Amino acid sequence: DGLTWPDPDSKARLVVAAASDAQLRAVVRRLVRRYAPPPSRRPDDLPGNRTVPDLPPIGVLPLDPARGTTHRDLAAQLGLPRDPAAVAAAVLDGTPRRLDLLRNDGGSVTLDGALLGAADDSGRPLHWRGRVEVDDAVLSNGDDPLLACAIGNAGGYARLDDVALLGDPDPTDGLVEVAVAVPVVTRSALGRKRVRLEVRRARGRAVAVLPREGKVPFLDDGAEGELSRKRSWWTEPGAWAVWAG
């Protein structure tokens, strides 16, 4: 909390030692809560597509160096160093790399992405229903059974098992990529019933998800939660930054 920002002398360096993306997200969420101005005090120089100013760059120190090879965490996706000496060099002599941030109306933020849906005890996905909109595009009106909904700023939730949900999410393009997986029943020429998975995708500035019945479990940057009411995510282009080597 003693960090001064903006820092004209550029002497302050913030390093976050994190064992998971959820821990890194918690720090960025605190930065947003501290620096985001209330709507009534919005500064004139704040870009029209932003609600927060440029946040101070963060040095990311992954506490599990091997995690980047077993799981594509955000540091691995961004190609950030994992060795402490290399992280220190990036923080001291590197350059800031600005990245998009997702805010939501629940008061939190998303750095990588979110995955909505659940599975039974055998690991089979469970159907749920909800309306999913990306800007003016409707991916589901709430009538279709959904297996999953992926919201991507980066690519951590681009795949569900062997199914490609997101195409190529880019945390620097100012857009959020969204996909829903819908099971579609078809019949062969012999009348046999088959189920194929239809993936619908869209990109935009904002996405809204409204569950139609009950609660929908989700993972947001690895943090678990349940969605029971409408939730909206929107993009803050270039709002946060990491020190890159």
Side-chain angles (χ1 to χ4, degrees):
D1 287 341
L3 181 67
T4 300
W5 187 256
D7 179 12
D9 295 330
S10 299
K11 294 178 181 178
R13 291 292 188 269
L14 180 63
V15 180
V16 179
S20 68
D21 289 342
Q23 294 177 357
L24 178 61
R25 180 188 74 151
V27 175
V28 177
R29 179 174 58 200
R30 186 174 181 88
L31 288 172
V32 169
R33 289 177 177 177
R34 177 180 178 186
Y35 293 113
S40 60
R41 299 180 182 177
R42 180 184 176 88
D44 295 335
D45 59 352
L46 189 63
N49 60 354
R50 293 265 296 274
T51 64
V52 295
D54 287 353
L55 298 176
I58 290 176
V60 180
L61 173 60
L63 292 181
D64 184 0
R67 187 171 176 82
T69 60
T70 60
H71 173 76
R72 294 283 292 172
D73 61 10
L74 193 58
Q77 294 180 58
L78 297 175
L80 300 179
R82 309 185 77 88
D83 176 75
V87 173
V91 170
L92 293 175
D93 301 318
T95 56
R97 179 182 175 188
R98 302 222 63 89
L99 303 165
D100 301 337
L101 176 71
L102 298 183
R103 294 193 70 184
N104 67 57
D105 53 7
S108 190
V109 301
T110 301
L111 309 181
D112 187 349
L115 181 65
L116 292 82
D120 61 18
D121 294 337
S122 301
R124 292 172 297 187
L126 299 174
H127 293 179
W128 56 281
R129 297 179 188 275
R131 183 177 179 86
V132 181
E133 302 175 79
V134 183
D135 292 351
D136 296 328
V138 178
L139 296 182
S140 172
N141 60 12
D143 296 331
D144 299 316
L146 304 179
L147 291 184
C149 173
I151 298 172
N153 184 44
Y157 296 101
R159 300 189 66 86
L160 179 63
D161 295 330
D162 59 346
V163 177
L165 294 178
L166 304 176
D168 188 21
D170 182 352
T172 63
D173 64 0
L175 299 174
V176 56
E177 183 173 347
V178 183
V180 295
V182 184
V184 177
V185 178
T186 60
R187 292 189 179 276
S188 67
L190 299 177
R192 295 176 180 173
K193 186 168 65 174
R194 297 178 179 176
V195 179
R196 64 178 178 86
L197 201 59
E198 177 180 284
V199 178
R200 306 169 186 169
R201 302 183 180 95
R203 291 175 183 259
R205 171 76 197 282
V207 53
V209 180
L210 174 62
R212 289 301 192 194
E213 49 196 26
K215 298 180 180 180
V216 180
F218 67 84
L219 288 174
D220 192 327
D221 283 346
E224 297 182 358
E226 289 185 329
L227 194 64
S228 60
R229 62 184 66 183
K230 185 177 180 180
R231 174 66 51 82
S232 297
W233 290 259
W234 65 89
T235 306
E236 302 272 342
W240 75 296
V242 294
W243 289 107

